[in-house]
Amino acid sequence: MNFLAHIYLSGDNELIQIGNFMADGIRGHDYLNYPSEVQKGIILHRAIDTFTDAHPIFRKSKHRLHEKYGHYSGVIIDIFYDHFLAKNWNNYADESLEKVANDFYESLRKHYDVLTEKTKGMMPYMIARNWLVSYASIEGLSMILFQMDHRTKNRVAMHESINELKAFYTDFEEEFTTFFEELQVHCEEKLAIL
């Protein structure tokens, strides 16, 4: 799952959201250097990634892209799944996506001192381009994939995966919906024991 799902699956705790959001850049036991609620977010992020990578539905989605995009097929599906979460946001949350996104951006500003350097560097671009809301449209998704290409020195032209998204749109959306129901339950159980 990508940024939006990680934030959403963290519940209402700002520090758990932040830990979950920035966990990719935190290796091994380095998470212990953060406040306890941020640590919970990092642990939750790792649990989400483990669950996702092993899940047969996610693997099915990923397999559809693997021949062309190789290792990056999982990254692309993470982004596609965030698209379906954003597009269908009202099915999952009472507050609007715009409000949740703005609240999260404000939370990043408020807790700037606990952010990783990588997160601090990415934050201005994320907020200026409103990535979390951009996921909801194909145009916004194209922009995000194009930016991913830039960050990965255009190794596999991820922006071209929009073609596969359009060609298999219904399949991807149905896979996301089923998978995400299971992931939500998994995260609720994980949060309850953290």
Side-chain angles (χ1 to χ4, degrees), residues 14-23 25-26 33-35 38 42 104-124 126-127:
E14 290 181 2
L15 290 174
I16 292 177
Q17 288 178 351
I18 286 171
N20 199 342
F21 170 73
M22 67 181 190
I26 300 166
N33 299 326
Y34 292 89
V38 175
I42 295 165
F104 182 70
Y105 301 148
E106 188 54 40
S107 177
L108 289 176
R109 291 184 191 102
K110 186 166 79 175
H111 300 288
Y112 190 80
D113 58 315
V114 301
L115 302 180
T116 62
E117 292 305 312
K118 179 182 175 186
T119 304
K120 289 175 181 175
M122 178 178 64
M123 195 176 122
M126 179 186 193
I127 294 171

Side-chain angles (χ1 to χ4, degrees), residues 35-152:
S36 64
E37 297 300 288
V38 175
Q39 289 179 27
K40 289 178 186 177
I42 295 165
I43 293 166
L44 180 62
H45 180 107
R46 292 174 179 179
I48 290 167
D49 283 359
T50 300
F51 181 88
T52 300
D53 291 343
H55 200 287
I57 293 175
F58 182 82
R59 286 173 172 245
K60 182 179 179 183
S61 293
K62 192 169 94 165
H63 183 73
R64 208 174 276 124
L65 302 180
H66 194 268
E67 187 175 332
K68 183 171 180 184
Y69 302 100
H71 164 72
Y72 292 97
S73 58
V75 175
I76 294 166
I77 296 300
D78 283 343
I79 294 169
F80 284 4
Y81 279 16
D82 260 16
H83 164 67
F84 293 115
L85 175 58
K87 176 192 164 213
N88 299 298
W89 185 258
N90 293 337
N91 296 338
Y92 298 101
D94 295 329
E95 292 183 319
S96 72
L97 178 57
E98 290 76 11
K99 181 176 184 337
V100 170
N102 287 330
D103 287 351
F104 182 70
Y105 301 148
E106 188 54 40
S107 177
L108 289 176
R109 291 184 191 102
K110 186 166 79 175
H111 300 288
Y112 190 80
D113 58 315
V114 301
L115 302 180
T116 62
E117 292 305 312
K118 179 182 175 186
T119 304
K120 289 175 181 175
M122 178 178 64
M123 195 176 122
Y125 302 100
M126 179 186 193
I127 294 171
R129 294 185 174 129
N130 201 359
W131 288 357
L132 298 178
V133 174
S134 294
Y135 285 120
S137 69
I138 297 287
E139 298 74 26
L141 207 60
S142 294
M143 173 199 70
I144 288 164
L145 287 164
F146 193 80
Q147 290 168 348
M148 294 287 291
D149 278 334
H150 181 72
R151 289 208 319 250
T152 60

Side-chain angles (χ1 to χ4, degrees), residues 177-191:
T177 302
T178 304
F179 166 77
F180 200 66
E181 285 176 16
E182 294 181 30
L183 179 60
Q184 284 179 279
V185 171
H186 179 71
C187 289
E188 286 165 14
E189 291 170 354
K190 188 72 179 172
L191 275 171

